[in-house]
Amino acid sequence: LRDNRIQLQKSTPNELTISISEVALSDEGEYTCSIFTMPVRTAKALVTVLGIPQKPQIFGYEQPIDENKTAQLTCRTSGSKPAAQLRWRKGNKKLLDARIEVVEDPNGKTFTVSSQVEFPVSKEDNNIEVTCTVDHESLQNTERSTTQKLQVHYMPTAKIEPHPQYPREGEKLRLQCDGQGNPVPERFEWKKEGNETPLQESSENILFFPFLNKSDSGTYLCKATSSMGSVVAKYNLDVSGILGMSSSPRHTAGPISISPSLCFFSPAAVWADASPVPSTSGAYHAVIGGVVAVIVFLLLSLLIVLGHYLIRHKGTYLTHEAKGSDDAPDADTAIINAEGGQASGDDKKEYFI
């Protein structure tokens, strides 16, 4: 053996050891060691060189894939000996049922392996990564893989957001049509239901009302359009004397409770979304003022009646036994002179203290 890559490692009468650096496929074959005795003795060894597969490549994806169509991807690696194995993964899921093709390379020693998969795509597959990995014994538990991120075109979606959320008559209102999709919508058409003529048609997704009034009430439609198609969003605007509400459930006012001694609003009487408009506040103030006046009148009347009662019952209590006390010099004489005649000294006497 005459090669600079072959070095003698050990040489004794009983052992001969060599090493080969930078092993190539050409180093594969049968090696013979001879002992020059009488007779000459030989031993042979068959050396197999593994071909390391190249990093896999993915083909078949040149542009975004439309929703509900089928993706066809091919993964290929060459230079493996023996032939390598390929496996697929989409996100965290394995892709099965791949078609495998093995072709011998021109050198007659290594192989090129191809694997093809097909799967339907949806909008959930947008921006998902598809990975092809090569497995081979020469890689010694290391992994060689290639990843392709998918772009999926899908139909747009749209919804209308009001600003403010609960508009009132006389206020400004901005309706914003939020369109989502891949690609994102580029054209927006605004209509009022029942009218054929569009209110606005441009790349602008906002419909503006500088001053709301009752004539603005109705259902508004926003048509968002992209290269994948169009979608229509609806918004119900109700501009009444109190509130202009969206299509969400409407809050109603509860009763107002009034008692002679106390005026209060029950918790349900407070609107959750907006305060009453100025056109009705005057009536509420008049009712409250009348109730307060009634309460004040009742309080004054009560004070007058109470004072009159206290004045009439103010004075000294007089018993029947003491009716003659006006001219009596003392209490005993007053009792004797009381109406009903004179009482003997043994009669029971009654005093007022």
Side-chain angles (χ1 to χ4, degrees):
L1 293 175
R2 298 185 180 278
D3 193 314
N4 293 332
R5 296 179 298 112
I6 301 175
Q7 300 292 327
L8 181 63
Q9 296 294 316
K10 187 176 181 180
S11 178
T12 67
N14 299 320
E15 183 179 343
L16 186 63
T17 303
I18 63 172
S19 65
I20 305 174
S21 60
E22 299 179 5
V23 175
L25 290 173
S26 58
D27 295 325
E28 184 176 87
E30 188 178 75
Y31 288 77
T32 303
C33 174
S34 300
I35 301 177
F36 294 98
T37 58
M38 293 299 293
V40 177
R41 296 180 180 180
T42 61
K44 297 182 178 181
L46 184 61
V47 175
T48 300
V49 178
L50 298 177
I52 301 176
Q54 296 179 0
K55 184 177 180 178
Q57 293 180 315
I58 296 178
F59 304 93
Y61 179 84
E62 288 81 21
Q63 58 186 4
I65 306 171
D66 291 345
E67 182 182 19
N68 298 326
K69 290 191 175 180
T70 300
Q72 295 181 347
L73 302 179
T74 300
C75 179
R76 184 176 298 127
T77 181
S78 59
S80 61
K81 181 178 178 296
Q85 294 181 342
L86 296 173
R87 52 188 171 89
W88 291 91
R89 189 175 67 251
K90 185 180 76 169
N92 296 323
K93 297 181 179 180
K94 293 182 179 180
L95 292 176
L96 306 176
D97 301 328
R99 295 195 298 269
I100 305 297
E101 182 182 7
V102 180
V103 178
E104 190 177 47
D105 294 334
N107 58 23
K109 295 183 178 181
T110 59
F111 299 89
T112 296
V113 182
S114 300
S115 176
Q116 186 180 63
V117 292
E118 295 183 1
F119 55 91
V121 296
S122 63
K123 67 178 183 179
E124 287 76 18
D125 294 326
N126 188 45
N127 291 325
I128 201 168
E129 291 185 344
V130 178
T131 304
C132 176
T133 302
V134 57
D135 295 323
H136 195 263
E137 54 188 304
S138 65
L139 297 178
Q140 299 179 354
N141 297 325
T142 59
E143 186 177 272
R144 283 191 176 181
S145 60
T146 298
T147 299
Q148 176 67 59
K149 181 178 287 189
L150 297 184
Q151 290 291 322
V152 179
H153 281 175
Y154 54 89
M155 284 284 292
T157 60
K159 65 177 180 178
I160 299 176
E161 292 289 343
H163 303 279
Q165 186 175 5
Y166 304 114
R168 296 187 298 178
E169 185 178 6
E171 291 185 338
K172 296 179 181 179
L173 174 63
R174 180 167 54 93
L175 297 182
Q176 182 171 328
C177 186
D178 294 328
Q180 303 293 329
N182 187 26
V184 295
E186 298 177 350
R187 300 289 298 177
F188 298 90
E189 179 183 276
W190 289 93
K191 280 186 177 181
K192 186 176 182 181
E193 198 170 69
N195 296 342
E196 294 296 330
T197 305
L199 300 174
Q200 181 177 300
E201 186 175 5
S202 66
S203 59
E204 180 63 45
N205 67 334
I206 293 177
L207 184 64
F208 183 69
F209 297 83
F211 187 88
L212 280 177
N213 55 58
K214 294 182 180 180
S215 62
D216 293 323
S217 297
T219 300
Y220 289 84
L221 311 177
C222 171
K223 182 180 179 182
T225 303
S226 71
S227 61
M228 290 298 295
S230 300
V231 65
V232 176
K234 292 185 178 183
Y235 175 79
N236 295 323
L237 177 62
D238 181 14
V239 183
S240 63
I242 299 178
L243 290 175
M245 302 297 293
S246 68
S247 57
S248 58
R250 186 170 182 173
H251 300 275
T252 58
I256 299 177
S257 302
I258 301 176
S259 67
S261 60
L262 180 63
C263 176
F264 66 94
F265 291 99
S266 65
V270 181
W271 265 295
D273 305 314
S275 60
V277 296
S279 61
T280 58
S281 61
Y284 292 155
H285 293 164
V287 172
I288 295 173
V291 172
V292 172
V294 170
I295 294 173
V296 172
F297 176 76
L298 293 176
L299 290 176
L300 291 176
S301 301
L302 181 62
L303 289 175
I304 293 173
V305 172
L306 182 61
H308 183 68
Y309 176 81
L310 293 176
I311 291 173
R312 290 190 60 185
H313 290 75
K314 184 178 181 181
T316 306
Y317 252 80
L318 298 176
T319 65
H320 290 290
E321 292 81 359
K323 287 185 178 180
S325 63
D326 291 339
D327 299 326
D330 52 37
D332 292 339
T333 306
I335 294 173
I336 296 173
N337 296 334
E339 184 179 352
Q342 294 182 351
S344 64
D346 297 330
D347 291 342
K348 185 179 179 181
K349 299 178 180 181
E350 181 175 335
Y351 294 90
F352 173 74
I353 299 176

